[in-house]
Every structure is written in structure tokens, then in C-alpha cells.
Amino acid sequence: MSLLEKMLKELPFSADELRDVISTAQYRYKVYRIPKRQPNQYRTIAQPSPEVKVIQRWLIANVLATLPVHKVAMAYREGRSIADHAAVHAKNRFLLKLDFSNFFPSISVSDVRRYLVEVAKMSANDARLVSLLVCWRNKVNGDLCLSIGAPTSPLLSNVLLYKFDKKIVQLCRTHRVAYTRYADDLAFSTNKKEVLSEISKQVQAVCESLEYPKLVINSSKTVSTSKAFKRVLVGLVLTPEGAVSLGRDKKRRLRSELYRFSQARLDIDDVPKLRGELAFAWSIEKSFINTLLRQHGREVFRKLDLPFDLDSEEL
């Protein structure tokens, strides 16, 4: 049974409806921009329409979920988090951070199609069908590529970088360097001085050696640091003691907002954000939540309806 036949059997579309969506899927995206941290810079988000999203989620469950992802890829995976990404490097003295330029858009429709045929051993027709359903047409430059906003993009980015991750792991093993990747953020750490400057050059060489996807290191975001300085990785602070922390500034702000909530002085529109940030803090630094519990009491936390057990023995 072809992939199209299986889709017709399992998806809530008639044959004509499905063929129409497939033929126009690359254009069925809502596109908008959000500001980046840098002034006057924006990130383009392209979210698929509801019918395309239904098909993409079906593809994840029935086609893409079985494709291999390297264990060093920490983003977009159940049971992995930015805390896991940071913890690998917390105890090492020297840290190098690299970043890909235009990560999702750099993975083209031809990259996806080629991978599905050569590695996933999919038929040419099925590979073409999948690639058209997971890529969007950028009307500015005409590129057909992965988008920020599509459900399939995170998984496909991890899948297509399997060979890259494998090469980098082999490289780092030779130099006794720890490596993990969180989406487009690459982290390397070691206790051996001056090793990471050579690693940076060799990672660039690996990027250039790959037939696909064509990955480019954003040199303006390259950071090399050590325990002698403040080390921040994916927004988390690596302490001199080798632990992963939310950081002093973020904890100070959360203390202030929780106090205002306890006094019924926090704007009601800010409560969901506080709830989410405290849940995130619990996943990163439970000892900080313990401190807040001792200061404010469990009743304040229960009012926030947080997604962790306040009566747990871990508290």
C-alpha cells in the first residue's frame, strides 16, 4: 500500500480534498514575524493551516517517529530537556558554544526528499509526497524548506542531523570533549585547555563536508568561556560548583512576582506566566522551589495549580 493510499484510508479527508491539500500544502501557512533579542532583527514564523497540521501530525505518528535521532540531540524529545543539555557541561572547566545560521530554513525540500529515499529507504513517490507536506514556500526568496512553526520541523531537523551529530561525537571522543546539541545550539566542554579552539575549526570543516543539509555556523554567536567567568547555556547558568541553575536574576524576579501573587497584587494576566515559569523552575532547580515553599507556604502554590505534587517527598 502506498503512503497516499494509507493516508486516504486513515485521514478525515475525501480523495479530492486530500489531493487538493497536498498540491497546495506549501502555500497553506500563516506567516508572521516576532522580534529577536537583537534590535531590529526578526524571526519568521510560518504555521501550517489546520488541515496541513492534521496531516503533519499523522506523518509524525505513522512515518517519521521511527527514524533515528542521535542521543546527543536534546531538543524536541520526550524525556529530554534543556537541563539535560546543560548538565552534561556543568562540571567541565571550559565551554564552547556554537550556533547554526537560519537552522530550519537551511534544510530544504530536496534535503528531506533525499534523506527519505537514501536513508529511510522510502519510494521516490512517497518521499516526494512527504517532502511537499512538511515544507513551506518562502515567498520572499522562493525557497521550499522547513519552517519555524510546523509540527514536523523539530523532528525532521533532528533526523537529518543524525550524520552530523555522529561525526561530531567521533571528533569529540578523540579529543575527550563532551558534546550535546539543543536544536541549533551546539555545546562543547572539556577540562583540557586550548582544545576547544581546534574543535571549532573542525566542526566548521564537518559542516562543509556534508552533502546535505548545508549547515552554516553563525560566527557572530560563537562563545568560548570557562569557570572563571559566568557561563550561560540555553538560558541556564552553569555554576562554579558544577550545578545547573536558573540564575540569580531570574530567581530574584520569580521571588518578587510570587510575593505579589501571595498579596493578591499580581495582575491576573500575569498569573499564567508565573505558573509556567515556576513549573519550569521546578524542572531545573527543585531546591529553589523548596526555598519558596518554606517562605510562602504550600497554599500559595496550590492556588497556582502547578503541575507537580506539593506533597511529594522530593520537596
Side-chain angles (χ1 to χ4, degrees):
M1 182 184 295
S2 71
L3 185 59
L4 179 59
E5 290 171 329
K6 190 174 181 182
M7 291 169 69
L8 282 168
K9 184 178 179 181
E10 299 184 12
L11 286 166
F13 302 103
S14 68
D16 287 342
E17 287 172 338
L18 185 58
R19 290 189 177 93
D20 180 55
V21 173
I22 291 169
S23 65
T24 58
Q26 61 189 282
Y27 304 108
R28 294 178 180 238
Y29 285 77
K30 179 182 179 182
V31 181
Y32 55 95
R33 300 194 307 167
I34 59 174
K36 294 184 177 181
R37 292 179 182 176
Q38 301 89 340
N40 301 317
Q41 292 192 30
Y42 297 86
R43 178 173 286 105
T44 299
I45 309 296
Q47 289 190 336
S49 63
E51 61 275 10
V52 174
K53 199 173 288 186
V54 166
I55 297 174
Q56 289 184 349
R57 286 176 175 152
W58 183 89
L59 287 172
I60 291 172
N62 295 275
V63 178
L64 306 177
T66 59
L67 300 176
V69 174
H70 204 285
K71 65 181 180 180
V72 297
M74 298 291 180
Y76 320 125
R77 301 181 67 184
E78 188 175 354
R80 302 285 178 89
S81 69
I82 61 171
D84 298 312
H85 176 57
V88 171
H89 308 281
K91 288 182 169 58
N92 289 337
R93 287 180 62 198
F94 303 102
L95 175 69
L96 169 69
K97 299 189 292 183
L98 302 179
D99 187 275
F100 289 129
S101 296
N102 300 316
F103 183 45
F104 283 179
S106 69
I107 300 176
S108 70
V109 66
S110 61
D111 296 336
V112 175
R113 195 172 299 168
R114 187 171 176 181
Y115 173 90
L116 293 175
V117 171
E118 294 180 358
V119 182
K121 305 303 179 185
M122 195 176 287
S123 72
N125 284 338
D126 285 352
R128 180 178 182 277
L129 174 61
V130 173
S131 64
L132 289 175
L133 285 167
V134 299
C135 293
W136 77 292
R137 179 73 67 180
N138 185 330
K139 294 180 181 179
V140 175
N141 56 25
D143 289 347
L144 190 55
C145 56
L146 297 189
S147 75
I148 303 171
T152 44
S153 294
L155 175 56
L156 280 168
S157 67
N158 274 343
V159 164
L160 266 75
L161 262 69
Y162 182 87
K163 183 183 288 187
F164 170 85
D165 287 332
K166 186 176 180 180
K167 284 179 175 287
I168 299 302
V169 166
Q170 292 169 343
L171 168 67
C172 289
R173 188 177 293 127
T174 302
H175 295 282
R176 297 180 66 183
V177 169
Y179 162 65
T180 56
R181 179 176 60 81
Y182 196 88
D184 56 350
D185 292 309
L186 288 66
F188 305 83
S189 63
T190 182
N191 287 317
K192 297 171 66 179
K193 195 173 183 180
E194 298 177 357
V195 169
L196 295 180
S197 60
E198 186 61 29
I199 286 289
S200 183
K201 299 173 188 175
Q202 292 178 346
V203 170
Q204 183 64 55
V206 170
C207 290
E208 294 169 359
S209 72
L210 291 175
E211 293 184 51
Y212 70 94
K214 290 301 180 183
L215 304 167
V216 177
I217 299 295
N218 184 349
S219 58
S220 68
K221 290 189 175 182
T222 296
V223 175
S224 185
T225 187
S226 73
K227 278 190 175 183
F229 304 92
K230 183 178 180 180
R231 298 174 301 158
V232 179
L233 186 58
V234 289
L236 301 177
V237 174
L238 309 185
T239 71
E241 297 76 28
V244 177
S245 172
L246 294 165
R248 186 180 303 169
D249 293 341
K250 186 171 290 185
K251 288 194 282 190
R252 183 184 296 117
R253 180 173 57 79
L254 283 175
R255 283 193 191 96
S256 173
E257 291 182 1
L258 184 60
Y259 174 75
R260 284 191 285 138
F261 174 79
S262 71
Q263 301 298 306
R265 287 165 38 201
L266 185 68
D267 191 308
I268 192 168
D269 292 336
D270 293 330
V271 173
K273 181 182 177 184
L274 175 61
R275 181 186 296 118
E277 291 191 328
L278 288 171
F280 175 73
W282 166 256
S283 71
I284 302 298
E285 196 172 353
K286 291 183 175 66
S287 60
F288 173 61
I289 296 296
N290 286 332
T291 300
L292 294 180
L293 275 167
R294 287 192 293 270
Q295 291 174 346
H296 298 281
R298 293 173 187 264
E299 190 56 35
V300 171
F301 278 75
R302 288 196 175 94
K303 288 179 181 177
L304 283 165
D305 191 28
L306 289 159
F308 51 81
D309 184 4
L310 290 171
D311 297 318
S312 168
E313 292 181 1
E314 294 183 72
L315 293 173

